[in-house]
């Protein structure tokens, strides 16, 4: 009888300590800094969003966030790296539309965006701007279109690599003009912008998160914003649609990813910290000042990112296949 009671007590205690252990685990994550891998160069738009997010997520997460720039191959090197990293929540990826377009653009992709990642949530939506070097002899879109037609043999267009948002925007600009230009790939907007400022390239279409400071300093020519509506940060700038590229509509969206198999507790904590960061007025104000906006709450969720990614892959794959653009 006594032995039975002891056994029952022992198993109750065991059950209690097991549940204590289960409850102790959450408090233990994260115990060290978390790294967000950025697929483009420091100082570029993706990097700027990642650093603003990292700064705002630090407090709710209770750990510092390190930003690591792993550049090259239109963001696919960074995505492969994170897909193969330990699924412990300490290595994350902040990526944009390139996560969806890489599926069709790369003949050989070492990750599958729909099966090799867990999702934390979407972050921010950023318009793009079509820019020219400061001394380009055209000060509006119709004049630019004429100048390009007259100089098409030598005009060049910078981008941040195959699969970059600037590559996508550049493809749409060429489609709108009905001509093919020489494109010059860089490893991010930061070096591409330096080349534009230095006059080594003629044109660049890129996110306001980087371009707005050069626009405000009057160091580049601005031909329009890529979104269907004008943006509050550049109220006098026409949309490319208004200015003559009918139907032009590109926006860059950003998501935060973890390797597949990341423990639920880490994903939950990361999502809580993401939502706290996006609700932080300092983060929202920084994004607004850069011409962009944090996404609405429904998109700040794992499903909000996963569903959007699925839609974007379905949207862009046939477009890219039809255009016949590939990278090896
Ligand atoms: N804005 C770049 C792109 O075209 C990448 C970057 O530097 O953030 O995708």
């Amino acid at each position: 009888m006594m032995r039975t009671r002891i056994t029952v007590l022992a198993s109750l205690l065991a059950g209690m300590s097991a549940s204590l252990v289960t409850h102790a685990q959450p408090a233990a994550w994260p115990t060290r800094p978390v790294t967000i891998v950025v697929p483009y160069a420091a100082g570029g738009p993706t990097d700027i969003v990642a650093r603003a997010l990292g700064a705002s997520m630090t407090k709710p997460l209770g750990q510092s966030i390190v930003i690591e720039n792993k550049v090259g191959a239109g963001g696919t090197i960074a995505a492969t790296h994170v897909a193969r990293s330990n699924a412990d929540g300490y290595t994350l990826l902040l990526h944009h539309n390139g996560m969806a377009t890489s599926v069709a653009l790369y003949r050989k992709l070492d990750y599958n965006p729909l099966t090799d990642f867990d999702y934390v949530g979407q972050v921010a939506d950023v318009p793009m701007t079509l820019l020219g070097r400061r001394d380009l002899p055209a000060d509006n879109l119709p004049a630019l279109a004429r100048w390009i037609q007259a100089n098409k043999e030598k005009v060049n267009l910078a981008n941040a690599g195959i699969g970059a948002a600037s590559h996508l925007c550049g493809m749409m600009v060429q489609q709108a003009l009905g001509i093919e230009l020489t494109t010059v790939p860089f490893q991010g907007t930061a070096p591409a912008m330096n080349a534009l400022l230095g006059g080594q390239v003629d044109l660049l279409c890129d996110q306001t998160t980087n371009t707005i400071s050069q626009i405000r300093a009057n160091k580049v020519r601005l031909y329009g914003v890529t979104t269907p509506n004008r943006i509050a940060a550049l109220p006098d700038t026409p949309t490319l649609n208004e200015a003559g590229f009918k139907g032009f509509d590109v926006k860059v969206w950003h998501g935060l990813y973890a390797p597949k198999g990341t423990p639920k507790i880490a994903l939950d904590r990361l999502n809580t910290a993401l939502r706290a960061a996006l609700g932080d007025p300092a983060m929202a104000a920084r994004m607004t000042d850069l011409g962009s906006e944090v996404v609405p709450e429904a998109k700040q969720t794992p499903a909000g990112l996963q569903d959007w990614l699925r839609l974007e892959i379905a949207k862009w794959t046939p477009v890219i296949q039809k255009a016949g653009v590939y990278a090896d």
Side-chain angles (χ1 to χ4, degrees), residues 83-100:
R84 291 179 181 167
S85 293
N86 286 341
D88 54 12
Y90 290 103
T91 306
L92 309 174
L93 173 72
L94 187 109
H95 206 341
H96 60 26
N97 311 39
M99 196 68 161

Side-chain angles (χ1 to χ4, degrees), residues 96-119:
H96 60 26
N97 311 39
M99 196 68 161
T101 53
S102 61
V103 174
L105 283 169
Y106 282 80
R107 282 188 219 268
K108 184 179 169 320
L109 204 59
D110 290 328
Y111 60 89
N112 181 333
L114 292 174
T115 53
D116 292 342
F117 293 90
D118 280 322
Y119 307 92

Side-chain angles (χ1 to χ4, degrees), residues 38-48 74 95-98 128 159-161 163-168 187-191 204-207 209-210 252 254:
V38 172
Y40 298 102
T46 318
D47 182 72
I48 287 171
H95 206 341
H96 60 26
N97 311 39
M128 302 186 89
N159 68 38
S166 44
H167 173 236
L168 190 67
Q187 294 200 325
T189 298
L204 170 67
C205 180
D206 221 301
Q207 288 110 289
T209 23
N210 172 282
V252 179
H254 298 78

Side-chain angles (χ1 to χ4, degrees), residues 190-256:
M193 177 59 85
N194 283 341
L196 189 73
L197 295 174
Q200 286 99 37
V201 294
D202 300 312
L203 301 166
L204 170 67
C205 180
D206 221 301
Q207 288 110 289
T208 55
T209 23
N210 172 282
T211 64
I212 212 155
S213 53
Q214 312 300 346
I215 292 166
R216 285 180 181 145
N218 199 25
K219 290 189 175 161
V220 288
R221 282 214 188 267
L222 170 61
Y223 295 108
V225 293
T226 60
T227 41
N229 298 312
R230 290 188 181 203
I231 61 170
L234 297 169
D236 300 327
T237 305
T239 64
L240 290 176
N241 179 50
E242 272 176 76
F245 287 173
K246 290 289 161 239
F248 207 101
D249 178 3
V250 188
K251 165 192 85 174
V252 179
W253 54 273
H254 298 78
L256 191 61

